Amino acid sequence: MTSTKPERYMAIDYGDARIGTAVSDLLGITARGLETINWNGRDWSWALDRLSALIEDLQITTVIMGLPRRTDGKASESETKARAMGEELATRTGRPVLYRDERYTTVLASRVLRETGIRGQKRKAVVDQVAAEIILQEYLESRRKA
């Protein structure tokens, strides 16, 4: 009987002011929001240090980086920044970083929070986590279908 090593995934919803994170369970079935990292959009060092620490502490095996593509499908400046951050994370942590189109996840996350009655500052604080959770859950479901 062969045993498979548990895998834990982390999704990142990149933004120039906030970075949302979500993590999977060890079976790779469910996603849950983890935290929102507030940063200035210019100096990556603190944000990368925090992301790297989370990846190490939670024993993340694979990172899923959301790509903020434009609605016409073309690459945006934010997508270029997200790819660069993903490459730096891969270098720092030695973990693979996979990229997924995240168009509309923040809109969907805002809708979910609005429908559950979460408003104002509370919504702003967690919307990026929920977007990361959506990115991760979609990734996990795509793995099961493959």
Side-chain angles (χ1 to χ4, degrees):
M1 186 159 118
T2 61
S3 69
T4 57
K5 185 179 176 189
E7 293 189 82
R8 177 167 277 166
Y9 301 89
M10 175 187 280
I12 298 171
D13 177 54
Y14 173 86
D16 285 333
R18 292 179 308 276
I19 298 169
T21 62
V23 65
S24 74
D25 62 358
L26 285 172
L27 298 175
I29 296 171
T30 61
R32 67 173 170 83
L34 187 59
E35 76 177 61
T36 299
I37 299 168
N38 294 301
W39 70 302
N40 64 15
R42 292 179 301 279
D43 178 16
W44 285 3
S45 58
W46 186 86
L48 284 167
D49 287 348
R50 182 63 189 141
L51 289 167
S52 296
L54 288 170
I55 290 166
E56 292 299 326
D57 292 348
L58 297 170
Q59 300 178 342
I60 301 299
T61 54
T62 304
V63 176
I64 314 303
M65 175 71 77
L67 292 180
R69 303 207 86 179
R70 294 176 8 169
T71 55
D72 63 7
K74 294 180 182 173
S76 67
E77 182 180 342
S78 291
E79 178 179 347
T80 302
K81 291 177 184 178
R83 283 187 186 277
M85 181 174 270
E87 290 169 13
E88 180 63 27
L89 269 177
T91 299
R92 282 184 178 211
T93 64
R95 305 311 198 286
V97 176
L98 308 177
Y99 299 94
R100 294 202 41 106
D101 185 347
E102 61 140 290
R103 278 179 284 186
Y104 309 114
T105 56
T106 301
V107 172
L108 181 57
S110 292
R111 183 179 303 150
V112 167
L113 292 170
R114 187 174 50 251
E115 289 174 0
T116 58
I118 299 173
R119 306 220 181 279
Q121 287 300 107
K122 175 77 171 154
R123 183 186 316 170
K124 188 175 183 180
V126 298
V127 69
D128 300 293
Q129 286 177 46
V130 174
E133 194 174 323
I134 292 167
I135 293 165
L136 184 53
Q137 194 64 54
E138 287 176 351
Y139 172 76
L140 296 173
E141 289 172 13
S142 74
R143 288 184 72 241
R144 284 194 291 276
K145 293 176 185 174

